[in-house]
Amino acid sequence: MMMMMKEGRRNNPFSLLLLCAACSSAVTAFQTVLPQRITSTNKPILSWTETQLFSTSSSSTVSTDAIQVQASVKQLKRTLEREYASFFSPMERDFYAEKVTFDDPMTNLEGVAAYERNVDMLSGKNIIGKILFRDAGIVLHKVEGGVVTQEEQDNGRTAVHISDVITRWTLRLTFQALPWQPTARFSGISVYNLQPGGPKGVQVVKQTDYWDSINIAKGGTYQKVPKGAAIAHFLEQMKPTQFEAPSAGNELPYSLLRRGTDYEVRRYPAFTAVQTNYERRDEGFSELGTFSSGLNPLSPALFTVASSSSEQEQQQPKSMMWPLGFAPPGSSTPPELPDAVEKAEKEIWKKKNCKIVKIPERVVAIGSYTDASVAPVVRKADRFLREACERDGLTVTTSTQDTLNFAQYDAIYSMGKRRGEVWIELEKHPWTIE
């Protein structure tokens, strides 16, 4: 996670926040505590696929009970889940080597104490943190790895090997020292190198963080980059936003899985929606708006049209839908919404081809655009998004090849900067929950 702790201190995605140092003299003072030094290389070092991801490094020791080590690794993974959920309150130092190191795109840290000071700053526990940040939080998407194996040595003793533990996370932090108080979001992975030993039976000796926004190489591997790229990316998120057209309604919630280069990956909950076919988009908005009166529809409006501009394919029905309700956390079942179902059964709405549909939970790649959602703009955004997915090793669902799926958040005739997105459902990705 950004700077998670140096392997023993944990590299918290909060390291990114150190980038704020570039924006504040207060952070400059903090930099004396956390010296910044990083090595850059163009050589990819990690892939999100399990085989490659866990074969990059391992550690071993002699005459250690592999079963006991495996139990300690499981305990460490559960500890990581608790620490992420609580923003390291408390941080369980027994799982970190005293000289654990941490390396992320911005900084290098060494020692548990240095890592803990960094976390305290990002979480607002010390004076600098209280001045600079608020609303810091990490969402842990996945913990994997930590496979324990053993092999016989020539001297008759047994060596135990532990593969890296990898976490996938999203970090959010609001920089309140600026008048417009921008919120920065980062996603990435933390790679924990482990060794048997310590009070808990296993220790983190090194932690390395990578950001999805700058460290992903072609094919989905991770590589180190110059520190300047990390600073530039952080400062880009600190810029004040332009005037945007207001959203047409409360937004359908989602979990941000990746903030990549020119795209995002989100997990949307299962939801119930009202859907209709349309010829003119303004007519579709009018029909759904009338139907949804009193039902509290959500933004965005979601559209599906043919991907080809050929006359034959353009004759295919175009559909749009508005979400009306979504499954609560921990559930994969969309709400029933009896009032909406009863309304859709009325003859007037049947004639208008309005119906209630249920959409399952899905992981979607998102590409944004700020122009009106006209055909050339949407097709161009869809093409760029597919290229980005292929570049970063993500596989799109085959059924999306013949359609364009896009979202519109603002009202159809809104003024100001528009917010439109193309959506492509993913079939193969590293956030699969097994």
Side-chain angles (χ1 to χ4, degrees):
M1 308 179 281
M2 303 177 89
M3 290 191 338
M4 266 201 79
M5 289 173 110
K6 225 182 175 182
E7 286 206 50
R9 319 166 205 168
R10 257 186 200 142
N11 301 311
N12 266 307
F14 309 127
S15 299
L16 276 178
L17 305 178
L18 291 181
L19 290 181
C20 294
C23 304
S24 169
S25 59
V27 182
T28 302
F30 182 74
Q31 288 175 318
T32 61
V33 179
L34 304 181
Q36 299 183 357
R37 53 187 192 278
I38 191 168
T39 302
S40 65
T41 177
N42 292 322
K43 182 180 179 181
I45 59 175
L46 284 175
S47 166
W48 67 262
T49 58
E50 184 172 355
T51 300
Q52 293 173 290
L53 190 59
F54 298 149
S55 64
T56 55
S57 65
S58 64
S59 55
S60 64
T61 189
V62 178
S63 300
T64 301
D65 187 346
I67 296 177
Q68 181 181 355
V69 172
Q70 186 68 74
S72 297
V73 171
K74 289 182 179 179
Q75 185 181 2
L76 168 64
K77 291 164 78 171
R78 290 194 295 267
T79 297
L80 289 174
E81 292 175 353
R82 290 195 300 269
E83 289 184 330
Y84 280 52
S86 67
F87 211 89
F88 301 93
S89 296
M91 185 185 96
E92 300 193 32
R93 297 178 56 149
D94 284 348
F95 277 107
Y96 298 88
E98 190 63 32
K99 294 185 178 181
V100 62
T101 61
F102 167 77
D103 181 24
D104 81 351
M106 284 295 299
T107 61
N108 251 173
L109 300 177
E110 182 174 351
V112 176
Y115 179 76
E116 193 165 22
R117 286 195 297 269
N118 177 58
V119 172
D120 288 346
M121 181 194 71
L122 296 175
S123 60
K125 292 180 181 178
N126 60 33
I127 187 62
I128 295 178
K130 292 180 184 298
I131 294 173
L132 296 180
F133 311 121
R134 65 175 175 83
D135 299 335
I138 313 171
V139 176
L140 177 63
H141 304 301
K142 196 171 186 178
V143 183
E144 52 192 339
V147 177
V148 177
T149 58
Q150 60 182 7
E151 63 176 329
E152 295 296 326
Q153 303 288 294
D154 293 338
N155 59 8
R157 305 180 73 183
T158 300
V160 175
H161 304 267
I162 311 174
S163 69
D164 295 335
V165 166
I166 291 89
T167 61
R168 293 188 176 276
W169 44 261
T170 299
L171 169 70
R172 182 198 71 241
L173 187 74
T174 297
F175 191 70
Q176 64 181 5
L178 294 174
W180 55 92
Q181 298 193 2
T183 296
R185 294 177 176 84
F186 303 89
S187 65
I189 66 171
S190 293
V191 181
Y192 295 86
N193 185 235
L194 311 179
Q195 285 185 350
K200 298 293 187 178
V202 68
Q203 288 183 317
V204 177
V205 295
K206 182 179 180 182
Q207 180 181 336
T208 306
D209 286 1
Y210 301 91
W211 304 346
D212 293 332
S213 53
I214 59 173
N215 290 122
I216 296 181
K218 186 175 181 180
T221 58
Y222 285 84
Q223 66 180 12
K224 291 187 177 182
V225 298
K227 184 168 63 175
I231 295 174
H233 176 67
F234 180 80
L235 295 180
E236 181 67 24
Q237 295 200 58
M238 295 295 100
K239 292 181 179 179
T241 58
Q242 302 177 21
F243 169 72
E244 296 183 349
S247 177
N250 293 328
E251 188 172 337
L252 182 68
Y254 61 85
S255 177
L256 178 63
L257 302 177
R258 169 176 289 178
R259 185 185 179 96
T261 302
D262 304 323
Y263 72 98
E264 291 183 354
V265 177
R266 305 172 187 165
R267 175 177 281 115
Y268 278 94
F271 64 90
T272 301
V274 56
Q275 184 184 65
T276 189
N277 293 337
Y278 69 95
E279 292 185 5
R280 290 180 38 161
R281 201 180 310 164
D282 57 346
E283 294 176 350
F285 268 99
S286 178
E287 288 183 5
L288 292 188
T290 303
F291 179 94
S292 301
S293 178
L295 297 176
N296 300 316
L298 301 169
S299 179
L302 299 168
F303 302 85
T304 300
V305 300
S307 60
S308 173
S309 59
S310 68
E311 183 176 348
Q312 181 179 359
E313 293 197 0
Q314 286 303 305
Q315 298 304 314
Q316 297 179 7
K318 296 180 288 187
S319 70
M320 65 182 295
M321 62 180 172
W322 283 3
L324 299 176
F326 54 90
S331 172
S332 59
T333 304
E336 294 298 331
L337 304 182
D339 290 345
V341 173
E342 181 181 357
K343 195 171 189 177
E345 290 299 319
K346 294 182 178 179
E347 193 62 28
I348 183 176
W349 295 112
K350 287 184 177 180
K351 289 181 179 180
K352 294 178 179 293
N353 199 31
C354 287
K355 58 184 179 181
I356 301 301
V357 296
K358 293 183 178 181
I359 308 300
E361 178 182 284
R362 52 185 175 166
V363 173
V364 184
I366 305 289
S368 301
Y369 55 90
T370 57
D371 295 322
S373 297
V374 294
V377 171
V378 175
R379 288 196 178 93
K380 181 179 180 181
D382 181 83
R383 183 174 69 254
F384 284 172
L385 178 57
R386 291 178 186 276
E387 291 172 353
C389 288
E390 181 178 2
R391 177 196 68 209
D392 289 353
L394 302 175
T395 303
V396 303
T397 303
T398 305
S399 60
T400 67
Q401 299 294 338
D402 298 326
T403 59
L404 289 175
N405 295 280
F406 62 99
Q408 184 172 325
Y409 287 81
D410 43 81
I412 189 167
Y413 297 121
S414 297
M415 301 295 292
K417 183 180 178 182
R418 311 297 288 268
R419 182 185 174 192
E421 297 172 344
V422 287
W423 289 24
I424 301 178
E425 188 171 352
L426 296 180
E427 183 174 81
K428 184 179 179 183
H429 54 79
W431 301 277
T432 300
I433 300 176
E434 301 175 354

